[in-house]
Amino acid sequence: TSIFGVWGFAYLGGVQYFIYSFAFPRAFPSAIKFIEQPLRAKLRNTAGQLSLIKQVGVDQFLHHPFVLFPAFYCVKEYIEGGTPSMALEKYQANWREDCVVTWKVWVPAFLVNFSVCPLWMRVPFVAVVSFGYTMYWSFLRGAPQQTEENEG
């Protein structure tokens, strides 16, 4: 509980709020206009659709695998009394499975989030999806994990 409490408050509530509410709108300035368009206009707006794909791509194929996951394993390992090297070893061991599980949930969710949710609704939408995802993530990665370094 403490792992996911700290994680939810610090990373999801702080870092992701900054990313989705400040960084992405600056990096993808046309996204706000795309969000405000009716569905019929969105279907004709190829530049807006490309911006949408770029946002999902940056988030899921850069941010999650190379920032979010290492940060999660470091927080988890710190709370469990481990070392940063143990955290990175677990991150590397789980990287593929973590990405696949995450992409199954978050690619569709962020296609919705970045295409129809107004800016103020992005974080609440993520929070709702995160509720179910975090329960599964806790089942998958909540228990202490043994590594070759700490098995003996």
Side-chain angles (χ1 to χ4, degrees), residues 117-129:
C117 290
L119 194 58
W120 63 267
M121 186 63 179
R122 284 185 170 186
V123 173
F125 177 83
V126 168
V128 169
V129 176

Side-chain angles (χ1 to χ4, degrees), residues 20-113:
Y20 300 140
S21 297
F22 294 102
F24 271 28
R26 284 172 180 73
F28 305 100
S30 64
I32 294 173
K33 288 181 183 175
F34 183 75
I35 290 169
E36 294 170 348
Q37 292 179 326
L39 180 60
R40 198 171 278 220
K42 287 178 187 177
L43 294 174
R44 292 188 306 263
N45 185 343
T46 55
Q49 293 170 13
L50 182 60
S51 178
L52 168 66
I53 298 301
K54 287 179 183 177
Q55 288 178 83
V56 173
V58 166
D59 189 60
Q60 292 302 302
F61 302 105
L62 293 175
H63 168 237
H64 274 78
F66 302 110
V67 179
L68 184 142
F69 291 147
F72 169 78
Y73 282 102
C74 285
V75 167
K76 183 176 187 292
E77 205 58 38
Y78 176 77
I79 290 172
E80 291 176 350
T83 65
S85 65
M86 290 167 69
L88 293 178
E89 185 179 335
K90 291 173 185 178
Y91 158 71
Q92 289 173 340
N94 298 326
W95 186 83
R96 252 185 242 289
E97 183 182 9
D98 291 351
C99 285
V100 170
V101 167
T102 298
W103 294 337
K104 286 178 180 179
V105 173
W106 289 109
V107 168
F110 280 121
L111 287 171
V112 170
N113 196 22

Side-chain angles (χ1 to χ4, degrees), residues 1-12 71-81 90 134 137-138 141-145:
T1 303
S2 61
I3 292 167
F4 287 93
V6 168
W7 179 249
F9 178 77
Y11 198 88
L12 301 179
F72 169 78
Y73 282 102
C74 285
V75 167
K76 183 176 187 292
E77 205 58 38
Y78 176 77
I79 290 172
E80 291 176 350
K90 291 173 185 178
T134 301
W137 196 252
S138 177
R141 299 287 179 238
Q145 179 182 350

